[in-house]
Each structure stands twice: as structure tokens, then as C-alpha cells.
Amino acid sequence: MTRTHRWAATAFACLALTGIAAGPALASAPADGATTSLPTDAAFLRASHQGNLTEIAAGKDAQKNATTSCVKHVGKVLVRDHTKLDADTRALADKQGVDLPAAPTKEQQDMLADVMSKAGTKAYDTAWLHSQAAAHQQTLARIDHQITHGKNAEVTAAAKAARPVVAMHLDMVRGGECHAAAAPKAIHAGNGGQVAATSMAAGVPVALAVPAVAVGGVLVAGGAFWAASRMRRNDSR
């Protein structure tokens, strides 16, 4: 490799490192699209409660009727996490004076009934995974809308706390395939759930982890650029 090529490769590595550092922040941004019809604040709490009820019911049913250990395990994780998320939702709704529905929506009940009708067959596992992938994508869209457009600070904070949990669930069922290894062993109660594994493994809150990674990437990139500059100066001698 020539000296010029070595310098170019080093500079390219700097840019790549900077891009990696910025990645988590960009990935957490809500996707653009028509979200004006999504619920905010009080309506968000009601929709979240209904979503939690749906996921708890789906998770319990999967533990009984799924044919694979992977789907059974994911069902157990959903029951665990959404039970804790719903406790937070109910406590916040009570504090805000928001009445919560007693049952999931008609659409959610129909979805559950359709999946349950396939109980004990391989078709059940496939239908369950696809329904959960769609449900968690919708939940993430609702959460991101609340984070972007919510007026109530406490409700928005709850949405931010719940987002990593829902994103982790989506990773476990993404594309209608089962990935039980994406689940952590436990989530913390009382703060909306477990944050992303990369930050919690080190005991660092996600709000601090993302800026820290970004700063670290900039420092590493700066060091690499300095090395590249030294290399280029040596080339010119």
C-alpha cells in the first residue's frame, strides 16, 4: 500500500468511526410519515394500557399453545415486561386523572382470536410472530409520536422509558421470526422498563450512554485524523 493510500484509509476509518458514534442517536429518531392521527398524552395512556393488555394475553397464550420453545420464551418475556409497563401506565394514569379502558380494542381482540384459533399447530407460531411484529411496530410508532408531539412531560418521559423495551420485543419477533436471544434476563420496575442492553450492561442510563458514545467516537476520530496528518507530513519530507 502506498503512503497516499495509507493516509486515505486512515481518514476513511475516522469517518466510519464518527458515523458509528452517531448511529444510535439517529436510530432512535421517529420515522417520518403521517402520524397526526396517533394518540398523544391521555389518549396515549389509554392506547398503551390496551396494548399492554393485548401483549399480556398474547404472551400467556403463547406459553400454553406455541409449538416451539423460542416462541414460548418470547411469550414469557412479553408477559413479564408488559405487566411492569402496565403497572407504570396505570399509576401514571391515576396520577393524571385519566380513565383507562377495561379491555383491548375490537381490532386487538380479533387479532388475538385469530391467532388463538391456530393453537397447537405450527401455523400458530407463525401467526403469533407476525402479529407481534406488526403490533410492536405500531406501538413504536405511537411511542415516537408521543415523544415528538406530546405536551405532558410525565407522559412523554414514560414513553421514552418504554421505548427500549418495545424495541427489544420487536427485535425478538422482527420479520415474523423468533429471536429469543434478544431478551435480557430482567427489566427494572418503576421506570418504564429495561433500557437497551448495551447501556444497561454497563449500568449507564441510555440518556447518558448515547452522548457518551458520540463523544467517544469524536475523540477516536480526532486521534486518527492526527495520526493521518502526521503520516501525510512524513510523506511530504
Side-chain angles (χ1 to χ4, degrees):
M1 180 182 291
T2 66
R3 292 175 176 176
T4 300
H5 287 168
R6 287 201 306 270
W7 181 88
T10 305
F12 180 78
C14 297
L15 294 175
L17 286 168
T18 304
I20 291 171
L26 295 175
S28 66
D32 291 334
T35 59
T36 54
S37 62
L38 292 174
T40 54
D41 298 333
F44 173 81
L45 290 175
R46 297 187 183 99
S48 295
H49 176 60
Q50 289 180 304
N52 289 328
L53 293 179
T54 303
E55 303 310 333
I56 292 169
K60 289 181 177 179
D61 195 69
Q63 291 179 76
K64 293 189 300 181
N65 295 313
T67 63
T68 63
S69 59
C70 184
V71 172
K72 287 179 181 290
H73 176 70
V74 173
K76 182 178 180 180
V77 172
L78 293 192
V79 173
R80 178 196 72 189
D81 294 356
H82 282 283
T83 297
K84 291 178 180 177
L85 287 176
D86 199 51
D88 292 345
T89 299
R90 287 185 284 108
L92 182 55
D94 184 62
K95 181 179 180 180
Q96 298 285 336
V98 176
D99 292 329
L100 297 178
T105 66
K106 175 66 164 57
E107 180 183 3
Q108 289 167 333
Q109 293 180 45
D110 289 345
M111 179 273 291
L112 287 170
D114 180 65
V115 174
M116 291 176 181
S117 69
K118 302 173 176 61
T121 69
K122 290 184 177 179
Y124 174 94
D125 295 54
T126 300
W128 191 90
L129 288 167
H130 280 289
S131 69
Q132 290 307 308
H136 282 83
Q137 286 173 340
Q138 292 172 358
T139 301
L140 276 183
R142 186 170 68 244
I143 286 173
D144 287 343
H145 181 77
Q146 175 65 34
I147 291 172
T148 303
H149 301 287
K151 304 300 183 185
N152 186 291
E154 288 186 289
V155 176
T156 298
K160 290 179 179 178
R163 193 186 195 285
V165 183
V166 176
M168 178 267 290
H169 291 171
L170 180 57
D171 285 341
M172 290 193 293
V173 298
R174 193 181 295 276
E177 297 182 358
C178 191
H179 308 282
K185 293 182 180 179
I187 66 170
H188 292 299
N191 63 354
Q194 176 81 20
V195 296
T198 53
S199 60
M200 287 306 298
V204 179
V206 68
L208 298 178
V210 170
V213 171
V215 171
V218 171
L219 292 176
V220 172
F225 268 120
W226 176 81
S229 299
R230 288 286 300 272
M231 189 182 301
R232 185 170 58 175
R233 286 198 299 271
N234 290 335
D235 290 344
S236 64
R237 292 177 179 175

